[in-house]
Amino acid sequence: MEAPAGLRLALVFAVLVHFSLLPTSYSLSSQDLQIVSAERRIDLTSHITRVYLTLKVENTGTSPPASEILLAFPPTEVDHIALLKAAVTVGKKKKKSYLPLDVKPSEGPEAPNETKFFTVLLLNPLSVGESLTLEVLYVLTHSLEPFPLEISQSEPQLVYYHDSAILLSPYHIKQQITVIKTPSTKVESFSRVEPTDHTGTELKYGPYEGRSPYSFSPIIIHFENNNPFAVVEELVREVEISHWGSLQITEHYKLVHAGAQHKGVFSRVDYQSRPSLSGVSSFKHLIARLPPRVHSVYYRDEIGNISSSHLRKDSRKSELEIEPRYPLFGGWKATFVIGYGLPLQDFLFESSDGRRYLNFTFGCPLAETVVDKLTIKVVLPEGSKNPFAIVPFPVEQSLETSYSYLDVVGRTVVVLEKKNVVPEHNSPFQVYYNFNPICMLAEPLMLASVFFFLFVACVAYLHIDLSIRK
């Protein structure tokens, strides 16, 4: 397929940027590893890019066993990585299982064009002559670039995706293949690095044989993607714990459509009369996946309550379908609040050492949404001491103090902050703290004392004669 002029210019620019990533005379790491086969599958069906990588790694050298494997990324791609996980496969076919491995950023060896590295730590060192199969998942955000940058209400949304047909790696690769899946068959143009095949919604690059370390072959794909580019610029989730039996959740959203900017005027008539043609890249509703047994749900914005929402519940989950006051086109924003209550016994437990701990879900309830900045505030009951949080990935932790009704010394707030959050971050986290049950009596005793002194004051006032006459 012949690429248009705009795509050719973009491809030339990409070649110039990544030219130094072409094969060079570079000595490998101390462990003489090679990749026997590499299969990479790139999912572009939404605005979140997911890459599934399967590597068969073999130790062919004479050096000591390898205890780690390096993963290489272009510097422009590292900035968009929201999540990176790796696991080693054990067994075959039906008995196959996956053992998760630790992954951490690494300086790595000297490499061309400021290549960035992540180190995968193996559970058992890979001895000479042995091989293993490594499964890697990494998620990229803001990696799809709208082109054109502005579209009218009736135009579909086209985007660019930049990558390499050849896997960037510090090791020699004997055989590799890359498969890219698009949301539809509407692909405007794509780079060819023979052998290349386009069938339906899949683009296949390879197989390529015998590629040297740090080989790179830039490609650009220009395709139609009308899925909602829902990005939450900032989300603040407040989880307030009450030992009297409930959790109260309040979520403040700043939502934006991060796709191609809308140009021209918006026609409500066209939008409603021709929904399949007018505003195909916009979205007018989102799904929030909430825990089961949710109650007292509300959805409002700065104006007030928004009635266009639907709640569906069963014993395993709850789904809240929300509709902003207006459909969101590229560049349009909306701010709103979602609140709900949950039974305390479903989320608060007591550990063996007597500590209380909250077991709740990190991340954003909105489906297939990127959160640029997420802040979770866990408000502990007054009198809680020694709080700390356990989160399965790096976050920034801090403590604050908040005051509510009848508080005397204030409530401790555990604040967790993380940037670039994707649905894969929706995993349980725990907040531990010490709590003396006698503290639960503080507010009732204070209320009782106030009423008692008011009663005594009233009685004294009625029985004391304050007149000046004898």
Side-chain angles (χ1 to χ4, degrees):
M1 181 180 296
E2 183 67 24
L7 179 57
R8 289 199 298 269
L9 291 175
L11 183 58
V12 170
F13 175 75
V15 171
L16 293 175
V17 170
H18 297 290
F19 181 77
S20 59
L21 283 174
L22 294 174
T24 59
S25 57
Y26 172 78
S27 62
L28 291 176
S29 57
S30 57
Q31 288 84 15
D32 196 3
L33 301 178
Q34 76 166 352
I35 298 177
V36 179
S37 63
E39 180 181 341
R40 184 172 48 151
R41 294 189 171 272
I42 304 175
D43 187 353
L44 302 180
T45 54
S46 74
H47 70 115
I48 302 174
T49 303
R50 294 175 173 88
V51 182
Y52 304 88
L53 182 61
T54 301
L55 302 174
K56 185 177 181 180
V57 185
E58 183 180 9
N59 189 344
T60 59
T62 58
S63 56
S67 59
E68 60 185 33
I69 296 174
L70 292 178
L71 301 175
F73 296 90
T76 53
E77 192 171 70
V78 170
D79 297 335
H80 298 285
I81 295 179
L83 182 75
L84 175 58
K85 298 194 297 184
V88 62
T89 60
V90 179
K92 295 181 179 181
K93 296 182 179 180
K94 293 183 178 180
K95 295 184 179 180
K96 182 185 293 186
S97 60
Y98 299 90
L99 299 178
L101 303 175
D102 291 334
V103 183
K104 61 180 182 180
S106 174
E107 293 296 331
E110 294 184 2
N113 202 37
E114 300 180 355
T115 298
K116 304 298 182 181
F117 294 94
F118 285 84
T119 299
V120 180
L121 303 178
L122 302 179
L123 298 175
N124 300 308
L126 187 63
S127 302
V128 175
E130 292 183 343
S131 63
L132 59 80
T133 301
L134 190 67
E135 299 285 349
V136 179
L137 164 66
Y138 59 95
V139 182
L140 305 173
T141 59
H142 303 291
S143 61
L144 300 181
E145 303 175 12
F147 186 82
L149 297 178
E150 295 182 347
I151 58 175
S152 64
Q153 181 176 334
S154 59
E155 291 180 297
Q157 179 174 259
L158 301 176
V159 296
Y160 274 143
Y161 176 70
H162 301 254
D163 209 319
S164 170
I166 299 171
L167 176 66
L168 180 63
S169 175
Y171 309 115
H172 177 82
I173 304 178
K174 294 182 66 175
Q175 186 183 61
Q176 63 178 298
I177 186 174
T178 296
V179 178
I180 301 176
K181 184 176 179 59
T182 56
S184 70
T185 59
K186 298 179 181 179
V187 178
E188 295 291 309
S189 57
F190 58 90
S191 307
R192 287 188 176 272
V193 181
E194 299 300 339
T196 302
D197 182 47
H198 180 210
T199 304
T201 60
E202 288 191 349
L203 270 166
K204 180 181 177 182
Y205 288 91
Y208 303 114
E209 308 283 346
R211 296 293 177 167
S212 302
Y214 298 103
S215 295
F216 199 91
S217 183
I219 58 173
I220 296 180
I221 304 171
H222 193 207
F223 62 98
E224 183 176 322
N225 189 339
N226 292 315
N227 289 295
F229 277 44
V231 174
V232 179
E233 294 181 321
E234 185 176 3
L235 168 58
V236 179
R237 302 184 72 191
E238 297 178 359
V239 183
E240 185 175 348
I241 302 174
S242 172
H243 281 183
W244 293 100
S246 68
L247 283 180
Q248 183 59 45
I249 317 298
T250 308
E251 301 171 351
H252 302 262
Y253 290 86
K254 293 182 179 179
L255 181 69
V256 63
H257 188 310
Q261 300 287 312
H262 175 72
K263 68 178 180 180
V265 296
F266 168 62
S267 172
R268 173 72 70 172
V269 175
D270 290 343
Y271 187 80
Q272 292 183 342
S273 61
R274 300 186 302 167
S276 60
L277 299 175
S278 179
V280 291
S281 64
S282 67
F283 58 92
K284 61 180 180 180
H285 70 270
L286 292 168
I287 299 294
R289 297 189 173 97
L290 307 179
R293 304 179 63 187
V294 68
H295 62 84
S296 305
V297 181
Y298 63 87
Y299 166 48
R300 65 170 185 259
D301 59 9
E302 295 177 350
I303 300 176
N305 185 60
I306 304 175
S307 59
S308 53
S309 61
H310 309 279
L311 179 64
R312 297 182 291 269
K313 298 194 300 181
D314 58 33
S315 59
R316 294 177 297 175
K317 67 179 185 303
S318 302
E319 286 188 349
L320 176 65
E321 181 180 353
I322 62 174
E323 296 184 19
R325 293 187 183 274
Y326 47 85
L328 292 182
F329 288 81
W332 292 15
K333 299 183 179 182
T335 59
F336 55 88
V337 178
I338 298 176
Y340 51 93
L342 294 168
L344 185 66
Q345 64 269 24
D346 292 353
F347 302 93
L348 191 68
F349 308 93
E350 185 172 352
S351 61
S352 57
D353 60 357
R355 289 178 179 267
R356 310 290 179 93
Y357 69 93
L358 173 74
N359 186 54
F360 204 66
T361 301
F362 196 88
C364 175
L366 296 183
E368 207 61 18
T369 303
V370 174
V371 181
D372 289 340
K373 181 181 179 181
L374 171 62
T375 303
I376 296 182
K377 297 184 177 182
V378 181
V379 184
L380 304 178
E382 191 174 28
S384 302
K385 298 180 179 179
N386 305 321
F388 65 92
I390 298 179
V391 188
F393 33 77
V395 297
E396 295 182 9
Q397 299 189 27
S398 60
L399 296 178
E400 296 179 354
T401 302
S402 68
Y403 292 88
S404 184
Y405 303 105
L406 303 178
D407 287 345
V408 178
V409 297
R411 304 186 183 192
T412 301
V413 182
V414 179
V415 182
L416 308 175
E417 294 184 355
K418 185 171 179 58
K419 296 181 179 180
N420 212 15
V421 178
V422 292
E424 282 75 8
H425 285 119
N426 292 0
S427 55
F429 74 99
Q430 295 78 37
V431 175
Y432 288 81
Y433 61 95
N434 292 326
F435 184 78
N436 191 339
I438 197 67
C439 295
M440 295 180 63
L441 301 177
E443 293 179 358
L445 288 176
M446 185 168 59
L447 283 175
S449 300
V450 170
F451 283 112
F452 174 76
F453 284 116
L454 286 175
F455 175 75
V456 171
C458 291
V459 171
Y461 175 76
L462 294 175
H463 287 78
I464 295 177
D465 186 4
L466 299 178
S467 64
I468 60 176
R469 294 181 178 180
K470 294 286 187 174

